[in-house]
Amino acid sequence: MAFLQQTCVALVQPLPDSAEIADTERGVKALTQHVANQKDNGAVADNLTTVQHQIAAACQRGSDATPGGMMARPPHAPPTLVAVSKRQPDDRIDACLAAGQRVFGENRVQEAQQRWQRRRPEHEDLTLHLIGPLQTNKAADAVALFD
């Protein structure tokens, strides 16, 4: 399996211990509890930095792998952190934007329209991704909104 091209994190939360998330059922519970415990909007920038360091460390481990090995990846293809902003309050999204995050993922077209229409002109370098399935009746709106 190749190293992941993109990393998605629920609005920039440092991840729990990897042993906790190894088991799928236990991992979902651990991640859900971890996100629920993150109440401090001022910590978003710190969390973003922590996640970026985790990604950098994983990339370093990948570049240290044997050439041609499972973790080997070209140096010109850095991973992209996609902050999943669904169901997050506006103040947390604004804090994430203020901390420099510019790539976000949403899974609901209507919520994304409401959330990002006013922010898009303020952040021209913003990139939005649709995550998950898309209903046919919302396809035109999704094409207009998402990159």
Side-chain angles (χ1 to χ4, degrees), residues 13-134:
Q13 305 301 325
L15 299 175
D17 181 6
S18 59
E20 283 186 276
I21 61 175
D23 172 53
T24 304
E25 183 178 341
R26 211 173 82 202
V28 169
K29 288 179 183 175
L31 286 171
T32 302
Q33 183 61 43
H34 182 73
V35 171
N37 289 339
Q38 300 292 318
K39 304 280 187 203
D40 182 11
N41 290 333
V44 170
D46 292 338
N47 292 342
L48 178 60
T49 300
T50 300
V51 170
Q52 289 169 335
H53 286 151
Q54 290 172 336
I55 292 169
C59 289
Q60 184 60 45
R61 286 191 305 273
S63 67
D64 291 345
T66 307
M70 288 177 51
M71 295 296 286
R73 46 177 295 127
H76 64 281
T80 300
L81 174 64
V82 178
V84 180
S85 51
K86 66 179 186 174
R87 296 185 179 161
Q88 295 294 324
D90 285 344
D91 57 337
R92 293 190 79 189
I93 293 169
D94 291 336
C96 199
L97 284 164
Q101 179 65 27
R102 291 296 184 270
V103 183
F104 289 85
E106 291 276 353
N107 73 332
R108 295 186 176 162
V109 176
Q110 289 175 313
E111 286 179 19
Q113 286 174 315
Q114 294 170 359
R115 175 172 289 149
W116 295 104
Q117 279 182 339
R118 73 171 174 83
R119 289 182 175 98
R120 201 131 212 203
E122 297 170 16
H123 304 281
E124 293 180 9
D125 56 344
L126 188 66
T127 302
L128 298 177
H129 294 284
L130 178 64
I131 301 171
L134 175 63

